Amino acid sequence: METCNKNTRFPPLRDAPFALRGALGGSSSNLEQARGYTSLPLAALRPNVSAPGSRTLHTSRPMAAPVANRPLSPHLPLKKPQFSATFSISHRIFGVALGVAIISVPLATKFSLMFGV
Amino acid sequence: MGIGEHFEGVKQHWARNFAFLDYFKKVYGRAEPLPKWSDADVEEFIASDPVYGPQLKALRESRKFALAGALAGAAHLGGVAFKYSKAPHGVVLATGFGAITGAVLGSEVAEHWYQLYKMDKQGANLRFIYWWEDKVSGQKS
């Protein structure tokens, strides 16, 4: 309960993920929490939750928020080209080309008769 | 029995199976291509030939079915893709595939509408090609 109150008072810590709380927050909050779980059975039943309705969901974040001008996820220029990826891409390209070549033969014979003269 | 002997035995069979390729050699494999013909020339041939004229007329009419089918297929599949897809290239590919599929379906409808399956389509086209060749060479000389 004590850590919960401390978090609501300190804005950057309120939404911090659990893994970051030790890095961001006070030095002893995790320790206190752990001690509290072991010493108080009631606290173990009700873990560290904020008041109902006040917790921010990840969906409640505004979608059109201004984002930093940074490179987006697949950093292709940073990656060394791998043989397996190159073979995979070229395999698909050649497969599509072969399929188009095969299907175009009967289509060409059919429509050349119809549109030839 | 060697492979050569075997091939000698089935050569006639495969020559008959691939005889349809002869049409393309005669139409597209000419040493010097024929001069362009217009729709009026084709109409003249259709009026002049009592056997192959109506066949060529039906074959040319079947284009409308194929084009209408291509239009309908492109509109349908392209419309579905345009409504639901978020990829522009997917919309383009779907429209093209719908056009091809619709054209094949429309030509199949025309095949039964005009009973094209009874006709010698290659023969009708070739008759016109030969007729045009004679006419052009007659004009030259």
Side-chain angles (χ1 to χ4, degrees), chain A residues 22-78:
Chain A
L24 291 175
S27 57
S28 63
S29 68
N30 275 343
L31 262 179
E32 280 173 12
Q33 213 176 357
R35 209 179 291 142
Y37 282 150
T38 47
S39 63
L40 283 174
L42 260 176
L45 285 176
R46 269 183 64 118
N48 187 16
V49 290
S50 47
S54 70
R55 193 173 127 190
T56 54
L57 299 171
H58 69 285
T59 49
S60 64
R61 202 174 291 166
M63 296 293 283
V67 292
N69 186 15
R70 53 186 161 73
L72 292 176
S73 178
H75 307 292
L76 289 180
L78 297 182

Side-chain angles (χ1 to χ4, degrees), chain B residues 15-97:
Chain B
R16 215 167 40 245
N17 274 358
F18 282 105
F20 73 97
L21 291 175
D22 195 48
Y23 165 80
F24 299 100
K25 201 197 286 177
K26 282 170 181 165
V27 174
Y28 298 106
R30 301 179 66 90
E32 49 185 53
L34 286 169
K36 286 283 176 195
W37 57 83
S38 64
D39 285 346
D41 298 321
V42 181
E43 293 299 326
E44 192 185 339
F45 167 77
I46 288 171
S48 71
D49 195 321
V51 178
Y52 288 99
Q55 296 190 12
L56 190 62
K57 192 175 188 330
L59 195 56
R60 281 166 68 81
E61 288 293 316
S62 71
R63 288 176 188 182
K64 291 173 186 168
F65 283 72
L67 289 176
L71 209 64
H76 182 217
L77 200 56
V80 169
F82 185 75
K83 189 175 177 189
Y84 294 108
S85 173
K86 290 174 180 163
H89 68 280
V91 175
V92 172
L93 286 176
T95 307
F97 185 71

